[in-house]
Amino acid sequence: MKVSALIGSIALGLLPGTFAAPPNGFDTDDLALEVARRALPNAPDGYTPANVSCPASRPTVRSAAHLSPNETSWLDTRRSKSLAAMKDFFGHVKVGDFDVTSYLNQHSSNSSSLPNIAIAVSGGGYRALMNGAGAIKAFDSRTENATTSGHLGGLLQSSTYVAGLSGGSWLVGSIYINNFTTIDALQRGSTWQFSNSILEGPPTGGIQILKSASYYTDLAEAVNGKQDAGFDTSITDIWGRALGYQMFNASNGGLAYTWSSIAETSAFNDGNYPMPLVVADGRNPGQLIVGSNSTVYEFNPWEFGTFDPTIYGFVPLEYLGSRFVGGSLPSNETCVRGFDNAGFIIGTSSTLFNQFLLQLNTTSLPSFVKNIFAHILYKLDKSDDDIAAYDPNPFYHYNNHSSPYAQQTELDVVDGGEDLQNIPLHPLIQPERAVDVIFAIDSSADTTYSWPNGTSLVATYERSLNSSGIGNGTVFPSIPDQNTFVNLGLNTRPTFFGCDSSNLTGPAPIVVYIPNYPYSAYSNVSTFTLSYKDSQRDDIILNGYEVATMANSTRDGNWTACVGCAILSRSFERTKTTLPDICTQCFTNYCWNGTVNSTAPGAFEPVTLLADSDSGASAIVPTVLSTAAAVSVALLTMI
Ligand SMILES: *[C@@H]1O[C@H](CO)[C@@H](O)[C@H](O)[C@H]1NC(C)=O
Ligand SMILES: *[C@@H]1O[C@H](CO)[C@@H](O)[C@H](O)[C@H]1NC(C)=O
Ligand SMILES: *[C@@H]1O[C@H](CO)[C@@H](O)[C@H](O)[C@H]1NC(C)=O
Ligand SMILES: *[C@@H]1O[C@H](CO)[C@@H](O)[C@H](O)[C@H]1NC(C)=O
Ligand SMILES: *[C@@H]1O[C@H](CO)[C@@H](O)[C@H](O)[C@H]1NC(C)=O
Ligand SMILES: *[C@@H]1O[C@H](CO)[C@@H](O)[C@H](O)[C@H]1NC(C)=O
Ligand SMILES: *[C@@H]1O[C@H](CO)[C@@H](O)[C@H](O)[C@H]1NC(C)=O
Ligand SMILES: *[C@@H]1O[C@H](CO)[C@@H](O)[C@H](O)[C@H]1NC(C)=O
Ligand SMILES: *[C@@H]1O[C@H](CO)[C@@H](O)[C@H](O)[C@H]1NC(C)=O
Ligand SMILES: *[C@@H]1O[C@H](CO)[C@@H](O)[C@H](O)[C@H]1NC(C)=O
Ligand SMILES: *[C@@H]1O[C@H](CO)[C@@H](O)[C@H](O)[C@H]1NC(C)=O
Ligand SMILES: CC(=O)N[C@H]1CO[C@H](CO)[C@@H](O)[C@@H]1O
């Protein structure tokens, strides 16, 4: 008897009638909507990757020297949409007396002179998801009142890229797999039910009719299916399936939804919203610790791969799971689809949270649930290994002379924050993408009380200094040490880095650093907290809104103008436009000017900036994961 069947019968025996396996990967409700515009349940066999016939031109790995033809042509389509959105944005965001609309009209025929905007949402579990959601909500023109004076609605619609990592990738996945939905809808709907811990599964009733036992049976069924089809599995497969239940509004946790299906939807193809990016790290062959020299991967709607010199290649995401050799698919090999399950992608970006599953024993779940889980773990190839197995390695024998992965039949991919670059800036500082400004939302837990202190920017800066090595020519603004961040308060309000482009060694964006900070709520909840009441979730999201808008500009009446200046700055340089006076003032106020104060600061314990709040405690010290692997715990306390 297969273990999957065994588990199924355990659950059936104990809970008659509660477990109904889907007849196959498809969900008829979702299929009916296939013509509608949202990410699609288009995997051939649910969670299990399956052989399909190859397209006429067989998929290949391509060099990272340029953007993909898909991205290049999508950018063309996107530009007219983002330009229109920018005009709307500057309809309510005034930059002193400067007429931004005329400026944009004047240069609209040469799109490369116009601003190119990106948003990056850091990791940090649910804290990062919620604080990031507040910022995205603030940037979204669809949010009620967000396009009034003092707010920033429309920045999202004006952006070209939105990147997420780990907890930030759960946010990006929640938005994109659910039809570019709004944060408001996620708060009001049945998807973001964080009061139900991911360990227990979704509430019963509604779209996901499950109980904890059948939840785990469902997770096991899917993962066993993949394994029985000959694919390596790890605990990340279980974790990714669980995330699907909590982030995707589809029955069976979006079993057949692929990440590549985003590129098949008409709304995305029409350029109606920004391009989503998810970041993960590579673990080098034979290594356990992921250091600053590790390879950084991106998942975009078309491809998986990296600009790093280690691999310097991209594979079509849809055909991940096919046996590429030396960058092409041998004639005796078939195409495989369905490997890029959307939950698996965001699970890959957040593998450190695999540790939580291993803590299931410490929960109050009934013991038969724990037994089911023990069986799942037993069956996995890599039960306690914190990696996602990308086997077959799509870059097998690719760039044989330079790639440390070329001889590996399996690629080990891990949490995007493990190299300490906890903000997904890597895809956004690639010269080919020519980004002008990155809004970097940092929800990292760097300090004792889980506030950010610039560690992530420091890591990206240091990596860029190795420009002939792993940095591969990427340029990043100078970033001071973390003590300076705390001493100068650079982590208490937005700070701009790289304002003066003449002080850079090459083209690089301005980084608008937006650190998590308490306005109306203590949003420094522990990375280890896995369940939140709706009211606390909403308080933290509102706090994130206030972080991004500086309390709707009540903290600085010129904040939105200064955001406008950051957006326009590089464009002004290209068009040789004199900086408006208000921008000079803004840059004096917000740009880090090179001052350093590296003396060791005292404890960083900010209190809510707005009126007293009862919505949280300021000091939350991690204790839960005492048995987890030491390295993971150390990292989890930081991200
Ligand atoms: C996706 O969103 C668009 C725009 O709001 C809407 O028109 C469309 O019906 C939605 N599709 C689905 C499947 O919900
Ligand atoms: C990406 O581009 C390739 C080659 O131009 C094309 O065959 C493929 O259909 C495109 N993919 C998508 C999802 O549009
Ligand atoms: C939007 O603004 C109006 C008018 O000030 C106010 O009544 C309403 O409560 C606001 N809505 C939200 C969601 O803040
Ligand atoms: C294809 O050929 C290679 C080289 O002979 C072999 O290693 C591989 O197993 C073959 N694949 C299949 C699916 O038969
Ligand atoms: C959980 O508990 C079971 C039964 O006590 C034990 O066999 C198993 O090893 C434990 N699992 C973990 C991950 O500690
Ligand atoms: C900054 O965060 C790092 C961990 O990310 C920590 O080791 C360091 O002590 C912190 N420094 C300050 C000044 O907060
Ligand atoms: C990263 O690689 C550079 C050489 O390319 C080396 O100098 C540096 O020590 C490495 N850093 C780590 C943390 O391995
Ligand atoms: C900021 O605006 C949001 C949404 O309109 C509102 O709910 C919140 O109360 C406002 N906060 C402050 C400090 O004005
Ligand atoms: C905004 O900036 C202008 C120009 O520097 C200045 O005159 C004005 O006082 C500022 N307004 C606020 C509310 O700080
Ligand atoms: C640079 O910024 C620091 C505070 O961060 C300030 O004290 C100093 O006066 C500034 N220097 C210049 C030249 O503006
Ligand atoms: C300008 O560049 C130098 C050299 O890289 C650096 O030390 C300094 O901090 C930079 N200044 C600013 C304001 O970024
Ligand atoms: C700018 C730069 O250094 N680019 C290099 C990145 O890595 C690839 C692969 O090693 C090189 O071919 C590029 O020249």
Side-chain angles (χ1 to χ4, degrees):
M1 190 191 241
K2 281 196 208 163
V3 170
S4 56
L6 174 69
I7 292 168
S9 46
I10 292 171
L12 282 167
L14 287 160
L15 290 167
T18 55
F19 174 65
N24 58 45
F26 285 96
D27 161 352
T28 45
D29 288 349
D30 293 329
L31 269 183
L33 292 172
E34 198 164 352
V35 287
R37 303 181 296 170
R38 62 169 293 175
L40 307 171
N42 68 346
D45 186 18
Y47 191 73
T48 303
N51 292 343
V52 295
S53 48
C54 285
S57 95
R58 291 166 77 77
T60 55
V61 177
R62 67 167 185 92
S63 151
H66 301 291
L67 299 181
S68 67
N70 303 81
E71 183 170 344
T72 307
S73 69
W74 178 85
L75 285 169
D76 273 348
T77 314
R78 174 70 189 143
R79 287 237 155 87
S80 63
K81 305 286 170 77
S82 56
L83 174 59
M86 250 181 257
K87 289 184 198 168
D88 288 346
F89 178 77
F90 285 109
H92 69 96
V93 168
K94 297 298 174 198
V95 179
D97 297 333
F98 186 82
D99 184 348
V100 184
T101 309
S102 302
Y103 173 82
L104 294 173
N105 283 334
Q106 200 185 330
H107 297 283
S108 61
S109 59
N110 181 5
S111 64
S112 63
S113 59
L114 295 170
N116 188 13
I117 307 170
I119 298 169
V121 186
S122 83
Y126 289 90
R127 180 185 61 253
L129 176 145
M130 295 184 289
N131 182 54
I136 296 290
K137 189 173 184 177
F139 295 160
D140 192 337
S141 59
R142 298 170 297 178
T143 304
E144 190 180 339
N145 295 346
T147 54
T148 57
S149 158
H151 294 246
L152 290 170
L155 183 59
L156 177 64
Q157 281 71 18
S158 304
S159 300
T160 311
Y161 301 103
V162 176
L165 175 162
S166 202
S169 80
W170 309 345
L171 173 63
V172 171
S174 296
I175 296 170
Y176 279 85
I177 299 301
N178 297 318
N179 193 26
F180 199 64
T181 191
T182 61
I183 302 306
D184 213 45
L186 287 163
Q187 286 175 270
R188 281 186 284 105
S190 58
T191 312
W192 276 7
Q193 296 293 316
F194 303 149
S195 55
N196 282 80
S197 158
I198 194 164
L199 298 182
E200 291 168 37
T204 54
I207 191 165
Q208 330 239 34
I209 308 154
L210 284 177
K211 295 204 168 142
S212 289
S214 48
Y215 171 61
Y216 276 96
T217 311
D218 238 29
L219 303 185
E221 284 278 330
V223 178
N224 283 336
K226 177 174 175 179
Q227 192 175 49
D228 291 347
F231 291 90
D232 226 347
T233 49
S234 77
I235 192 166
T236 305
D237 287 272
I238 306 271
W239 175 241
R241 288 295 304 126
L243 281 172
Y245 280 92
Q246 206 161 53
M247 305 298 164
F248 306 150
N249 182 19
S251 45
N252 297 105
L255 191 68
Y257 281 75
T258 61
W259 195 262
S260 57
S261 75
I262 293 170
E264 307 283 348
T265 60
S266 53
F268 177 75
N269 272 320
D270 294 345
N272 291 350
Y273 38 75
M275 173 175 150
L277 291 155
V278 166
V279 166
D281 287 346
R283 191 171 72 174
N284 286 332
Q287 259 190 2
L288 279 180
I289 310 278
V290 172
S292 55
N293 283 347
S294 70
T295 300
V296 179
Y297 296 107
E298 73 170 46
F299 296 88
N300 65 51
W302 305 280
E303 295 181 318
F304 165 71
T306 178
F307 291 94
D308 286 344
T310 42
I311 288 178
Y312 206 58
F314 285 90
V315 66
L317 183 60
E318 183 181 6
Y319 295 111
L320 212 55
S322 313
R323 285 190 185 279
F324 293 91
V325 179
S328 56
L329 203 53
S331 54
N332 68 336
E333 297 286 354
T334 169
C335 282
V336 171
R337 281 189 55 233
F339 193 99
D340 65 318
N341 174 273
F344 185 60
I345 302 304
I346 63 175
T348 299
S349 184
S350 59
T351 60
L352 278 177
F353 291 83
N354 288 351
Q355 285 298 329
F356 286 117
L357 284 180
L358 296 174
Q359 298 308 305
L360 201 70
N361 273 5
T362 65
T363 68
S364 59
L365 286 172
S367 57
F368 64 83
V369 173
K370 293 176 184 169
N371 288 338
I372 293 173
F373 185 67
H375 277 288
I376 303 174
L377 272 190
Y378 175 75
K379 182 85 195 295
L380 293 171
D381 303 303
K382 298 172 165 27
S383 58
D384 57 357
D385 212 352
D386 272 350
I387 57 133
Y390 282 65
D391 186 357
N393 170 10
F395 306 112
Y396 184 61
H397 283 193
Y398 184 71
N399 281 340
N400 259 336
H401 297 296
S402 50
S403 167
Y405 305 96
Q407 306 309 317
Q408 307 274 118
T409 54
E410 166 185 323
L411 206 59
D412 289 348
V413 187
V414 300
D415 195 292
E418 283 200 47
D419 61 353
L420 299 188
Q421 299 192 85
N422 200 30
I423 309 175
L425 298 168
H426 183 270
L428 308 174
I429 60 171
Q430 299 304 323
E432 283 284 315
R433 290 213 164 105
V435 171
D436 290 328
V437 58
I438 304 173
F439 290 85
I441 316 301
D442 193 0
S443 314
S444 304
D446 296 326
T447 69
T448 310
Y449 297 111
S450 298
W451 300 108
N453 72 8
T455 293
S456 172
L457 293 186
V458 170
T460 300
Y461 172 54
E462 286 179 348
R463 194 180 196 266
S464 76
L465 296 179
N466 184 1
S467 80
S468 60
I470 194 76
N472 205 20
T474 52
V475 178
F476 197 69
S478 296
I479 301 293
D481 64 289
Q482 291 99 316
N483 287 354
T484 296
F485 268 83
V486 176
N487 289 327
L488 302 189
L490 306 181
N491 62 340
T492 63
R493 59 185 177 80
T495 304
F496 302 173
F497 295 94
C499 295
D500 178 5
S501 62
S502 68
N503 197 46
L504 299 170
T505 56
I510 291 186
V511 175
V512 174
Y513 180 64
I514 304 182
N516 183 21
Y517 193 74
Y519 280 76
S520 54
Y522 286 105
S523 49
N524 58 330
V525 289
S526 163
T527 311
F528 300 88
T529 306
L530 294 190
S531 72
Y532 296 89
K533 284 193 228 144
D534 288 357
S535 58
Q536 191 182 18
R537 176 197 68 190
D538 294 348
D539 286 345
I540 294 175
I541 291 175
L542 174 58
N543 191 76
Y545 190 105
E546 287 162 344
V547 165
T549 58
M550 295 192 78
N552 309 334
S553 298
T554 56
R555 195 175 172 192
D556 174 7
N558 280 331
W559 169 236
T560 60
C562 295
V563 166
C565 293
I567 291 172
L568 290 160
S569 177
R570 296 285 194 257
S571 170
F572 283 156
E573 287 176 14
R574 287 194 292 272
T575 60
K576 306 196 168 28
T577 303
T578 313
L579 205 61
D581 286 345
I582 183 134
C583 293
T584 312
Q585 186 60 48
C586 284
F587 290 170
T588 305
N589 290 348
Y590 287 100
C591 297
W592 175 62
N593 65 11
T595 301
V596 169
N597 175 354
S598 307
T599 56
F604 181 68
E605 248 179 304
V607 294
T608 46
L609 202 83
L610 305 176
D612 275 351
S613 160
D614 58 356
S615 44
S618 68
I620 302 150
V621 182
T623 51
V624 184
L625 276 193
S626 52
T627 60
V631 170
S632 297
V633 170
L635 281 159
L636 273 171
T637 56
M638 285 183 231
I639 68 167

